[in-house]
Amino acid sequence: MQIREATINDIENIKKIYLQAFESSEAQVVSDVAVNLLKEDPPVKVISLVAIEGDEVVGHISFSPVFFKSSNEHFGYILAPLAVSPKFQKNKVGSSLVKYGLDVISNIGSFIVFVYGDPKYYSRFGFKVDLAKEFIPQYALQFPEGWLALKLNSAVLPEGGKIVCVDSLDDPNLW
Ligand SMILES: CC(C)(COP(=O)(O)OP(=O)(O)OC[C@H]1O[C@@H](n2cnc3c(N)ncnc32)[C@H](O)[C@@H]1OP(=O)(O)O)[C@@H](O)C(=O)NCCC(=O)NCCS
């Protein structure tokens, strides 16, 4: 398996992965987020990665920048969304995409990565609910136990505060 940056030429394959991997009630919304993030051009680059097996795109992940609401300062990333084609699941494709992305972000020198997802899955990478608590997203969370964060390096973390995401994630239905 190889991992590379996604391009707009991958859009149709990325859509297919999300439509197959997620339940029909949320598949279209999540697929739209993945595609919109790839097209969006925020002040700090979105990291959008695909996993390739043979000549097939079998997984996708995005990490987009987060900013403090008060100062607009960029200080971390949020992982969203992530999916692996059903027939390639449980082969470490998802884990490889997460770890690859975290390495890229760590090398950039960013402090922290957030995710709003299943704690049972993301805890295996070290994401923790306690760390995320001080960082308040722009919308009330339907599942606060799924708001998690991972500290990436030895830098001193900012104290916390209200945070904002890029436009593609600025939708109350996603939170
Ligand atoms: C979640 C997902 C990305 C994992 O991808 P994957 O390539 O199968 O993951 P990996 O092979 O790296 O890891 C599989 C492990 O995660 C576990 N796992 C998968 N989904 C999980 C979940 N929602 N909660 C807890 N564990 C989960 C598997 O049981 C497996 O455990 P094991 O290593 O102990 O056998 C994939 O199942 C998927 O696309 N699911 C549908 C979309 C989705 O839910 N995305 C958001 C994730 S919150």
Side-chain angles (χ1 to χ4, degrees), residues 138-149:
Q138 65 259 59
Y139 297 108
L141 298 171
Q142 293 181 46
F143 305 102
E145 66 278 14
W147 180 236
L148 313 167

Side-chain angles (χ1 to χ4, degrees), residues 5 7 15 22 29 33 35 43 55 67 69 76 81-82 89 94 102-103 114-115 138 142-143 151 171 173:
E5 262 193 62
T7 74
K15 277 185 192 169
F22 274 84
V29 172
V33 171
V35 171
D55 57 0
F67 307 85
K69 190 174 181 186
L82 163 66
Q89 288 178 7
L102 294 175
D103 277 352
F114 298 92
V115 70
Q138 65 259 59
Q142 293 181 46
F143 305 102
K151 186 173 179 283
D171 174 354
N173 295 319

Side-chain angles (χ1 to χ4, degrees), residues 3 23 26 32 39 43 50 52 54 65 71 76 87 114 117-118 124 128 132 134 146 156 160 164 169:
I3 294 177
E23 288 179 20
E26 48 184 4
D32 288 348
K39 294 178 181 166
V50 283
I52 314 287
S71 63
K87 62 179 176 172
F114 298 92
D118 189 334
R124 68 178 58 212
K128 292 191 170 69
E134 304 305 320
V156 179
V164 287
L169 296 175

